[in-house]
Amino acid sequence: MKPFTFDQIPVMMNKIHDKLEYLEKLILRISNVEENKEELLNIQEASKLLNLSVSTVYSKVCKREIPVNKQGKRIYFYRHELMKWIKSGRVKTYFEIQNDIEKRSKI
């Protein structure tokens, strides 16, 4: 880093201020993601998130197809577990399958 002159101090302070604001926004975004990880949903909220009817969600719970937490007669879902469950059903593209095959054949 080069030394700067007295006349450059306002410009440098402005840059520092902008960078601090950017870092502040990043930290807030990360903390919001962490809070959402532990967000607990009831059956109606889970149904809305998954875009499934409440009865379909109950059916999946009974068949143990979906991650659920039960406390007494009530069932709860963690948002991050539901998102992980949705992502686990992702179908690979032809290109991804081809890359996997090539990687395995190199081993």
Side-chain angles (χ1 to χ4, degrees):
M1 195 168 139
K2 303 189 263 186
F4 49 92
T5 66
F6 183 77
D7 294 334
Q8 293 173 321
I9 290 176
V11 173
M12 296 303 287
M13 289 302 292
N14 197 18
K15 286 182 180 181
I16 290 170
H17 180 264
D18 290 345
K19 287 182 180 186
L20 279 173
E21 274 188 345
Y22 175 75
L23 288 172
E24 216 172 28
K25 287 177 184 177
L26 279 177
I27 290 169
L28 284 173
R29 192 178 307 149
I30 290 169
S31 68
N32 285 339
V33 168
E34 290 300 316
E35 287 175 12
N36 284 342
K37 268 190 168 183
E38 295 301 317
E39 187 177 355
L40 203 58
L41 306 175
N42 62 28
I43 187 77
Q44 287 81 15
E45 293 165 331
S47 149
K48 189 174 181 180
L49 175 70
L50 299 171
N51 200 22
L52 297 171
S53 69
V54 171
S55 60
T56 301
V57 175
Y58 274 122
S59 173
K60 291 188 176 299
V61 167
C62 289
K63 295 176 186 175
R64 297 180 184 265
E65 294 178 357
I66 192 169
V68 65
N69 298 283
K70 190 169 183 183
Q71 187 63 37
K73 293 182 178 182
R74 297 185 184 265
I75 59 174
Y76 300 97
F77 306 87
Y78 283 106
R79 177 183 295 276
H80 75 279
E81 288 180 347
L82 292 178
M83 297 308 289
K84 187 176 176 182
W85 175 73
I86 291 169
K87 290 176 185 176
S88 71
R90 184 179 178 280
V91 178
K92 290 185 176 183
T93 64
Y94 175 77
F95 183 71
E96 290 170 329
I97 294 169
Q98 195 173 21
N99 281 343
D100 287 347
I101 292 170
E102 288 172 5
K103 285 178 186 175
R104 288 183 187 153
S105 65
K106 290 179 183 179
I107 295 175

